[in-house]
């Protein structure tokens, strides 16, 4: 299934369309890698993470001593996924804004250890961070020379 099928946007060129919340949610469920942006101790940072949508939250695992461990305390963040096809002169993005913090309750942690995201990075990644999204927006663009 391609982005046009998910979003219901027809092919053709010159489109710039805001995606519906349901289309954004479908794309978030379909993918597993995104980027988290926040103002860390050393300034603005954007880092890739392997994530899973769990109970309407973006959840990922990180190291207890890495940069992303700064998100253990409630922190404002942005989260983005996208797809770009340079040959077809098209692309889409989904941007979520909200707050990140570590998952501390026993039941969600048990569930996340069973079926949560598996990080690609090596090393100890035993801290689950959940992003509660307060807004989700998305856009799809297909350039004028795409056809």
């Amino acid at each position: 299934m391609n982005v046009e099928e998910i979003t219901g946007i027809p092919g053709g060129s010159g489109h710039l369309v805001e995606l519906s919340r349901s289309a954004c949610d479908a794309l978030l469920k379909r993918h597993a890698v995104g980027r988290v942006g926040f103002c860390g101790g050393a300034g603005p940072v954007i880092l890739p993470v392997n994530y899973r949508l769990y109970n309407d939250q973006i959840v990922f695992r990180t190291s207890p001593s890495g940069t992303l461990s700064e998100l253990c305390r409630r922190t404002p963040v942005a989260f983005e996924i996208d797809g770009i096809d340079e040959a077809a002169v098209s692309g889409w993005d989904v941007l979520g804004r909200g707050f990140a913090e570590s998952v501390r309750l026993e039941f969600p942690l048990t569930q996340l250890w069973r079926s949560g995201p598996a990080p690609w990075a090596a090393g100890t990644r035993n801290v689950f961070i959940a992003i509660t999204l307060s807004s989700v927006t998305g856009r799809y663009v297909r350039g004028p020379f795409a056809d």
Side-chain angles (χ1 to χ4, degrees), residues 21 24-25 27-36 49-61 71 77-81 94-103 112 116-117 128-136:
R21 176 62 191 256
C24 291
D25 289 345
L27 289 165
L28 285 168
K29 288 175 187 171
R30 185 174 174 84
H31 294 275
V33 177
R35 289 175 296 285
V36 177
V49 295
N50 302 93
Y51 76 93
R52 176 154 301 157
L53 204 56
Y54 176 79
N55 288 342
D56 294 325
Q57 293 180 309
I58 302 293
V59 178
F60 61 92
R61 286 171 42 189
L71 300 178
V77 298
F79 180 82
E80 182 183 42
I81 62 171
V94 173
L95 175 65
R97 292 182 181 96
F99 290 89
E101 62 189 320
S102 63
V103 177
L112 289 168
F128 284 93
I129 303 291
I131 301 172
T132 301
L133 299 171
S134 55
S135 72
V136 178

Side-chain angles (χ1 to χ4, degrees), residues 87-109:
V89 192
S90 66
W92 58 268
D93 79 302
V94 173
L95 175 65
R97 292 182 181 96
F99 290 89
E101 62 189 320
S102 63
V103 177
R104 295 185 182 100
L105 297 175
E106 186 175 338
F107 180 75
L109 282 172

Side-chain angles (χ1 to χ4, degrees), residues 4 43 46 55 61 67 69 83 86 101 110 118 145-146:
E4 288 87 356
I46 301 170
N55 288 342
R61 286 171 42 189
T67 302
S69 70
E86 291 184 26
E101 62 189 320
T110 300
F145 305 110

